[in-house]
Amino acid sequence: MNRGPSQLFGRHQAEEELSTRPDHALVGVIRMPGTVTSPVRSIIRRILGAMVALAATVAIVYIGRDGYKDSAGGELSVLDVLYYATVSLSTTGYGDITPVTDQARLVNVLIITPLRVLFLIVLVGTTLEVLTERSRQAFKIQRWRSKVRDHVVVIGYGTKGRSAVTALLGEGADPGRIVVVDTDRTSLESASAQGLVTVNGSGTRSDVLRVAGLPRARAIVIAPARDDTAVLVTLTARELAPKAQIVAAVREAENVHLLRQSGADSVVVSSETAGRLLGMATSTPSVVEMFEDLLSPEVGLAIAEREVARQEVGGSPRHLSDIVLGVVRDGELYRVDAPEADAIEEGDRLLYVRKVTPPQT
């Protein structure tokens, strides 16, 4: 169905509104990583706190029960004391049991009243906790947005996005400098549990990408579920971040040229790559195992890139102690057997195989 000009203008206004919101209004859109407390444990802790306050009040009033007057007459029983403590802590205060001696009134001022305040704080703890958490999140968002630079934005946190983040973390990336953009709350919860900053919104919207700090990002990983979405996100991302390194994933090889024309620096074809590995596994499974080893940054061997040392300039990459796969020169990769890679030049970078040492436990 075609949209009229007024509808398109209204949608544009709604989109732009998000990027112009103040930091405190982005709580719920941006989520900063933090500690997660079990709701059951939090409720049990509050109930125990309330019971402790109630028990302390009952004990204090019962010990000094001679200083209290019951309008019904007679000495205060344990039930009377429990009744008085309950209505006092809940600030109901019917007035049928009142302190009459100076000592009892002093105890009410110095002990019962603070216990009443504590009891109320425990009872309304959920509301206070929500307000405190929102304030804490607003402060974190404000500080993060003012300082975030040279970070990595991952758009789409499905299988491909999660694998990309795992690789980044395996290379030693700081989780707090990785921002995940997605609309699926389950995916965002999973990303937040890993210590990542999350933004709830569509990667096709420029205002959502601005909120994620994309114009100041070092690299952008585009990994949505659909190829057409990847093209649109790439166009938007390149417009907002002309100098960022954009890496995109597509399912079909026929869409690679669309991604490159849209501004992607590198394009990974997920379906064809997986298909090749499946085919190779039927005849040469050991080759597939080696690929998996090279692509797993945690243990074994890994493909890495480094600067050339001063003493290596002028030499052949094939004569180094490292297993060199290629030479990167002026942003272009040359295989180690290419004529351009016969001699290492100053400013080159080497693509090589390095051994990964597992961390000591």
Side-chain angles (χ1 to χ4, degrees):
M1 182 177 65
N2 294 329
R3 295 178 182 268
S6 60
Q7 289 177 300
L8 292 176
F9 179 72
R11 182 174 181 268
H12 177 72
Q13 276 191 319
E15 290 183 356
E16 290 302 319
E17 182 183 356
L18 182 62
S19 58
T20 57
R21 290 182 187 178
D23 294 328
H24 65 82
L26 294 175
V27 177
V29 177
I30 301 178
R31 180 174 178 180
M32 306 302 296
T35 56
V36 180
T37 303
S38 168
V40 175
R41 182 179 300 177
S42 180
I43 292 173
I44 292 176
R45 189 187 304 121
R46 294 193 184 108
I47 293 176
L48 290 177
M51 296 302 295
V52 169
L54 179 61
T57 305
V58 169
I60 293 170
V61 175
Y62 187 76
I63 293 173
R65 61 188 179 279
D66 294 338
Y68 291 81
K69 179 182 178 181
D70 186 357
S71 60
E75 185 179 349
L76 268 65
S77 64
V78 175
L79 182 59
D80 293 331
V81 172
L82 180 61
Y83 161 76
Y84 172 75
T86 302
V87 298
S88 295
L89 292 181
S90 62
T91 68
T92 305
Y94 295 114
D96 48 354
I97 300 177
T98 57
V100 293
T101 66
D102 293 340
Q103 182 180 2
R105 289 176 176 175
L106 184 62
V107 168
N108 262 262
V109 172
L110 298 180
I111 301 178
I112 304 300
T113 299
L115 285 173
R116 180 184 300 118
V117 174
L118 175 62
F119 187 81
L120 291 175
I121 289 176
V122 171
L123 286 182
V124 299
T126 301
T127 303
L128 291 176
E129 184 175 346
V130 169
L131 293 175
T132 303
E133 179 61 24
R134 287 187 64 87
S135 300
R136 188 184 300 114
Q137 283 285 318
F139 175 74
K140 286 184 177 180
I141 290 171
Q142 182 181 19
R143 185 174 59 180
W144 175 77
R145 294 189 72 192
S146 64
K147 294 183 177 180
V148 64
R149 296 287 188 283
D150 299 326
H151 57 297
V152 179
V153 179
V154 179
I155 303 172
Y157 202 64
T159 303
K160 293 175 288 188
R162 285 195 298 270
S163 298
V165 169
T166 300
L168 287 169
L169 296 177
E171 292 292 335
D174 180 8
R177 299 186 66 82
I178 300 176
V179 183
V180 170
V181 178
D182 207 312
T183 55
D184 184 70
R185 292 191 176 275
T186 303
S187 298
L188 294 176
E189 290 287 344
S190 175
S192 181
Q194 287 188 280
L196 312 179
V197 180
T198 63
V199 176
N200 185 359
S202 172
T204 61
R205 292 177 50 177
S206 59
D207 63 326
V208 172
L209 298 183
R210 287 192 183 97
V211 167
L214 189 132
R216 301 184 298 275
R218 172 182 62 84
I220 304 164
V221 177
I222 299 175
R226 295 167 54 98
D227 287 4
D228 54 350
T229 304
V231 173
L232 181 56
V233 173
T234 303
L235 282 169
T236 308
R238 180 51 75 197
E239 180 183 6
L240 294 176
K243 297 181 179 179
Q245 176 78 12
I246 296 181
V247 182
V250 292
R251 297 178 60 85
E252 304 299 336
E254 62 186 18
N255 296 322
V256 171
H257 73 286
L258 294 176
L259 268 296
R260 292 197 179 276
Q261 290 176 359
S262 301
D265 297 294
S266 301
V267 181
V268 177
V269 184
S270 58
S271 59
E272 287 201 0
T273 301
R276 290 193 190 100
L277 292 176
L278 288 172
M280 293 169 61
T282 60
S283 56
T284 55
S286 56
V287 175
V288 177
E289 291 181 12
M290 179 57 68
F291 269 110
E292 291 178 347
D293 185 12
L294 290 173
L295 294 175
S296 301
E298 296 85 4
V299 292
L301 302 176
I303 300 176
E305 185 178 319
R306 67 171 177 84
E307 297 179 354
V308 298
R310 185 183 300 273
Q311 64 272 17
E312 294 173 340
V313 175
S316 172
R318 293 185 289 273
H319 297 159
L320 300 179
S321 57
D322 292 328
I323 302 175
V324 178
L325 302 176
V327 176
V328 180
R329 181 176 300 150
D330 297 328
E332 188 169 352
L333 173 64
Y334 300 101
R335 294 188 316 185
V336 70
D337 59 346
E340 293 83 355
D342 284 342
I344 299 173
E345 298 179 5
E346 187 174 356
D348 287 349
R349 296 183 64 85
L350 300 181
L351 201 66
Y352 72 106
V353 177
R354 68 178 176 90
K355 182 176 177 57
V356 180
T357 304
Q360 298 294 328
T361 56

